[in-house]
Amino acid sequence: MLIRITNTPRPYAWGSTTAIADLLGTDPSGGPEAELWLGAHPGSPARIVEGAAEDDLAQWAAAHAPGGRLPFLLKVLAASAPLSLQAHPTAEQARAGFERENAAGVPLDDPARNYRDPYAKPELLVALSDPFRALCGFRPVAEARDDLAALDDARLAPLLERLTDDVLPQVVAWLIARSPGVDAIIAALTEQAAAQGELPHRPDWLDTVARLSAHHPGDPGIAVSVLMRTVILRPGEALYLPAGNIHAYLDGLGLELMEASDNVLRGGLTPKHVDVPELMRVLDARPLPPPLLEPEHPRPGIAVYRPEGVPLSLTVMEAAALIEGVDARLDGPAIILCLDGAVTLGEHGEHGELRRGEAALVAEEQTLRIVGTGRIAIASS
């Protein structure tokens, strides 16, 4: 069974006004278009165009999918401003938090609620734009100390005095809570980034400070960012963000695949609720290597992004592979999005054609013949 689907991009303020429309060949709305959701998540379920009696994939999943849900969510993400600084819980933390807030009678739509479902939310992102910028995870403390000390600004002394390997979590909590002295640190970083903006090669971390200051002046997330890794991706490069990884996408266009959850613990760069103690409970505050995800290449023109031990898989197929035809093995429900050109589905084209900007859910396990001159993404769990 093949179900043709569509959706309307989410109009979050940080979204680009043109990137999603330019990618998919659709008419821009005139406002920000931040995320196109292709899945059954109740926050914005994909609408069914053809192939099923239900109105949307949430209704379809409730009636036909195992457990009544589609466990993955594919997004086209287009950021022209930084997203909130955030981390996601493990499955165990999500279940416990969801049950705890339910028992306390916190409504699901309460802005102060942390856990809106009992699921984890690991996610991967594949860059489509050049560049795609992100903050993700903590860099070595010694590296951050050296960069801060080189600014030679007395207002940064309280941060430098606290900043050692064994107290990084406490320093992060101190900054996010805007403790005494933090406002002066934020001001110093903002001024230093502005002053060095005239240099030919401003360091990436200071460039991030300048970007964050422009969009979120005075926010504690500016200070947290100097302890984090600024990662710049080129098209086809990818990140995998497991539970506990603190991150924020800064700008760019990409494909994002995640487990279908809405559990976000925020740490700044947002007017939304920030629960510092709960964030610190889920946060992995260890310096780690950049969380780059290397794809598999089963044949030229095919890249498979599949984090180890996580039920997520995103495959990007280029025209170089599709023109000869690909037999795609789908072990369960999968969503296909045509990014360019057109492809024919089925051994004899019996499932029709997908053109640029069109998407479909393949509802059953099967080997699907795909032929064409376009580029597609296939998301599955």
Side-chain angles (χ1 to χ4, degrees):
M1 177 186 293
L2 188 138
I3 301 172
R4 294 177 178 271
I5 58 175
T6 189
N7 213 341
T8 301
R10 307 295 289 167
Y12 305 139
W14 48 263
S16 168
T17 58
T18 59
I20 291 179
D22 288 346
L23 174 71
L24 300 180
T26 55
D27 294 327
S29 65
E33 298 179 346
E35 295 178 344
L36 178 70
W37 291 24
L38 296 173
H41 193 285
S44 180
R47 301 190 303 276
I48 293 177
V49 176
E50 182 181 80
E54 291 80 11
D55 293 328
D56 61 49
L57 279 190
Q59 295 175 8
W60 178 88
H64 305 288
R69 64 186 297 264
L70 200 62
F72 65 94
L73 174 61
L74 175 65
K75 296 181 180 181
V76 182
L77 181 145
S80 64
L83 282 67
S84 62
L85 200 60
Q86 59 189 262
H88 308 301
T90 64
E92 293 77 12
Q93 290 167 337
R95 282 194 297 270
F98 184 69
E99 292 171 0
R100 185 170 61 248
E101 292 185 330
N102 281 351
V106 182
L108 281 176
D109 59 355
D110 189 324
R113 177 145 185 158
N114 294 314
Y115 299 94
R116 302 184 186 278
D117 57 64
Y119 304 108
K121 193 189 176 194
E123 58 191 50
L124 66 90
L125 180 131
V126 178
L128 297 176
S129 61
D130 189 2
F132 186 100
R133 296 181 178 87
L135 278 168
C136 48
F138 293 104
R139 58 183 178 142
V141 169
E143 180 183 308
R145 281 186 56 85
D146 289 347
D147 285 339
L148 289 167
L151 295 179
D152 193 25
D153 192 313
R155 291 170 292 179
L156 299 177
L159 177 55
L160 287 167
E161 290 167 2
R162 287 173 167 81
L163 194 55
T164 61
D165 285 296
D166 56 343
V167 297
L168 183 56
Q170 293 91 317
V171 173
V172 173
W174 177 74
L175 291 172
I176 294 175
R178 201 190 287 270
S179 304
V182 171
D183 282 345
I185 292 169
I186 298 168
L189 291 169
T190 299
E191 292 169 20
Q192 291 283 353
Q196 295 198 32
E198 299 177 2
L199 298 178
H201 299 291
R202 180 167 58 186
D204 288 340
W205 70 275
L206 261 185
D207 183 66
T208 294
V209 168
R211 290 173 183 276
L212 298 182
S213 300
H215 293 283
H216 300 279
D219 193 284
I222 295 168
V224 177
S225 77
V226 305
L227 309 179
M228 297 176 61
R229 292 187 180 277
T230 293
V231 176
I232 300 176
L233 302 178
R234 304 302 175 189
E237 295 180 336
L239 296 171
Y240 168 59
L241 303 168
N245 183 290
I246 189 167
H247 59 278
Y249 299 138
L250 301 177
D251 66 86
L253 176 69
L255 292 174
E256 188 179 24
L257 179 62
M258 64 188 65
E259 291 197 40
S261 170
D262 198 23
N263 289 324
V264 179
L265 283 303
R266 295 178 177 85
L269 309 178
T270 178
K272 295 182 179 180
H273 177 61
V274 175
D275 186 332
V276 179
E278 192 62 27
L279 172 66
M280 299 312 300
R281 270 194 283 271
V282 308
L283 186 65
D284 184 353
R286 297 175 298 160
L288 295 170
L292 300 176
L293 177 62
E294 293 295 331
E296 306 164 21
H297 294 283
R299 59 183 273 193
I302 299 178
V304 181
Y305 303 86
R306 185 162 39 208
E308 185 177 354
V310 177
L312 295 173
S313 177
L314 181 62
T315 300
V316 178
M317 297 184 179
E318 306 287 346
L322 291 171
I323 197 168
E324 297 178 359
V326 174
D327 292 317
R329 179 59 194 169
L330 307 176
D331 294 324
I335 288 176
I336 304 175
L337 171 64
C338 186
L339 299 168
D340 193 22
V343 296
T344 300
L345 306 176
E347 185 68 33
H348 305 289
E350 63 270 20
H351 295 305
E353 188 178 59
L354 285 182
R355 295 183 175 274
R356 176 186 175 197
E358 296 179 339
L361 170 73
V362 181
E364 300 167 344
E365 178 181 339
Q366 61 181 279
T367 298
L368 182 66
R369 183 72 173 172
I370 307 174
V371 183
T373 57
R375 179 171 58 143
I376 64 170
I378 304 177
S380 63
S381 176

